[in-house]
Amino acid sequence: MLGIVRQKILGQSLLKIRPAISVLRSYSSASKQMTVREALNSALDEEMSADSKVFLMGEEVGEYQGAYKISKGLLEKYGPERVLDTPITEAGFAGIGVGAAYYGLKPVVEFMTFNFSMQAIDHIINSAAKSNYMSAGQMSVPIVFRGPNGAAAGVGAQHSQCYASWFASCPGLKVLSPYSSEDARGLLKAAIRDPDPVVFLENELLYGESFPVSDEVLDSSFCLPIGKAKIERKGMDVTITAFSKMVGYALKAAEILEKEGIDAEVINLRSIRPLDRSTINASVRKTNRLITVEEGFPQHGVGAEICASVVEESFAYLDAPVERIAGADVPMPYAANLERMAVPQVEDIVRAAKRACYRAVPLAAAA
């Protein structure tokens, strides 16, 4: 840590030249594929190369190259002063990260899973999120808290929670949740460059998924705007909002619905806070129906906030009740069959869309 401080004092105005893009650039345009893991790794690499104030810290991020290999190669390239292995003490290293951000450095703090961020929540909520306001704008806190969020597979109740709505309820934080490689790369770069604290919620089951990427996405200057959703699929009959892994489920549901004559529009939220209310409401005013999808608990969830926004701003345009698809309101079961029942599935989204389009028996009538 002292080495980072010395580096800042001696060369805080110097930026390293951005490196050439990885070998992915040599692929033909028809075969450019990138996993979410590679997207996150390349974003970290390029931002650390571009700005000497950026550093990474967390459990096993260095010698082991990350529990999920997100930080592969970074210790060798940047050394132990900028890639710091920490003890298993989230409260400790999150606090050190916030203190470094106070000083003007740009820490990226990795939680092996966001379930462990509960150990550090005081630093995230009471220190990082509130310091800019409490200092009357004199103190910025440019820190990123990142790691896998939500359910994985067979890891039980204590390791399966989605924290999107937890952190999104707190003023002072920005909360991002990528789905594709484009999302992961562009949003992580935006998070690192942002002057405010950002909670960056990844998904363990998406790390190995490959997505097509363009030359624009592979450029080192590529960056996505915080607070802007992406319409993944245009449609006219029903709006489906989702984030993280649930975007893929929504897109699969839309394909099934298309075969049955229902044209679904799928919105990838990308940013949970700030929420792109204008894109959501514009879509609902076109389709006149809304389905929200998330892995988290239903009460006080992201979907509840979206439904409230639509009812407040676009109620007159609705032709059907809004519907929320969310995880079951129970701790995550360990048994595989019960676990599947506790998280949203593609068929749940399909049924909800049919109900919204009056193509199926309503829930109340079926009860």
Side-chain angles (χ1 to χ4, degrees):
M1 181 62 65
L2 290 175
I4 300 173
V5 174
R6 287 196 301 270
Q7 192 173 33
K8 177 182 183 295
I9 295 172
L10 295 174
Q12 60 182 352
S13 63
L14 299 177
L15 297 180
K16 295 182 180 179
I17 299 174
R18 292 182 183 267
I21 294 301
S22 67
V23 291
L24 287 167
R25 268 186 175 272
S26 65
Y27 294 172
S28 68
S29 58
S31 62
K32 287 177 182 173
Q33 294 279 325
M34 177 180 266
T35 65
V36 171
R37 178 182 289 107
E38 291 166 339
L40 294 168
N41 177 266
S42 65
L44 280 169
D45 185 8
E46 289 169 17
E47 293 306 303
M48 290 179 73
S49 180
D51 190 342
S52 61
K53 291 178 287 188
V54 178
F55 71 97
L56 175 66
M57 65 189 307
E59 297 156 1
E60 300 185 346
V61 299
E63 295 289 346
Y64 192 67
Q65 304 192 80
Y68 301 97
K69 299 298 179 278
I70 304 301
S71 53
K72 184 177 180 180
L74 299 183
L75 174 63
E76 181 180 1
K77 185 171 183 179
Y78 298 104
E81 291 188 335
R82 296 185 64 195
V83 182
L84 288 80
D85 279 320
T86 68
I88 304 174
T89 170
E90 285 78 13
F93 64 76
I96 291 171
V98 172
Y102 284 167
Y103 187 77
L105 301 179
K106 297 181 179 180
V108 178
V109 174
E110 176 179 311
F111 295 121
M112 195 176 291
T113 161
F114 256 92
N115 298 278
F116 302 155
S117 72
M118 294 295 94
Q119 302 294 324
I121 196 165
D122 182 57
H123 293 300
I124 300 171
I125 300 297
N126 279 329
S127 298
K130 298 176 182 177
S131 291
N132 183 263
Y133 174 80
M134 295 179 70
S135 67
Q138 297 178 79
M139 182 184 294
S140 61
V141 191
I143 187 170
V144 177
F145 301 98
R146 53 154 296 271
N149 170 70
V155 291
Q158 294 174 320
H159 290 175
S160 299
Q161 296 180 116
C162 174
Y163 289 93
S165 62
W166 289 55
F167 289 115
S169 68
C170 180
L173 291 178
K174 295 174 181 176
V175 182
L176 308 179
S177 188
Y179 162 60
S180 65
S181 299
E182 176 181 321
D183 292 355
R185 189 169 153 76
L187 291 175
L188 184 54
K189 282 174 164 284
I192 293 172
R193 297 175 190 181
D194 199 90
D196 297 315
V198 178
V199 172
F200 196 86
L201 303 172
E202 301 156 12
N203 186 281
E204 176 184 338
L205 299 180
L206 287 176
Y207 284 146
E209 292 290 318
S210 293
F211 293 87
V213 290
S214 65
D215 289 335
E216 179 189 3
V217 172
L218 293 173
D219 192 276
S220 60
S221 64
F222 177 70
C223 187
L224 288 172
I226 292 175
K228 184 64 180 175
K230 178 186 179 184
I231 299 177
E232 296 281 353
R233 184 187 192 278
K234 291 186 179 295
M236 294 298 295
D237 295 333
V238 60
T239 296
I240 304 175
T241 67
F243 60 95
S244 190
K245 187 175 69 173
M246 290 295 107
V247 177
Y249 282 29
L251 290 170
K252 290 177 183 177
E255 292 177 4
I256 296 170
L257 291 165
E258 184 178 28
K259 296 174 183 177
E260 303 191 27
I262 296 175
D263 187 18
E265 180 151 293
V266 177
I267 298 178
N268 172 6
L269 295 176
R270 285 182 169 172
S271 179
I272 310 301
R273 185 185 183 106
L275 188 65
D276 189 356
R277 300 170 192 271
S278 61
T279 293
I280 295 167
N281 278 278
S283 177
V284 171
R285 292 181 183 196
K286 177 180 65 173
T287 67
N288 311 117
R289 296 169 176 85
L290 172 67
I291 309 294
T292 70
V293 188
E294 63 186 307
E295 275 190 358
F297 301 130
Q299 186 158 322
H300 308 126
V302 175
E305 179 65 24
I306 292 171
C307 290
S309 174
V310 167
V311 168
E312 289 168 356
E313 300 179 38
S314 304
F315 180 76
Y317 292 84
L318 289 171
D319 287 343
V322 296
E323 284 213 33
R324 292 180 295 153
I325 305 298
D329 198 20
V330 297
M332 179 65 73
Y334 177 73
N337 59 330
L338 296 179
E339 182 182 64
R340 189 181 190 281
M341 294 173 66
V343 295
Q345 302 298 324
V346 173
E347 54 265 32
D348 298 323
I349 304 171
V350 170
R351 284 194 293 266
K354 286 183 177 180
R355 287 193 296 269
C357 295
Y358 301 107
R359 298 281 290 276
V361 178
L363 276 177

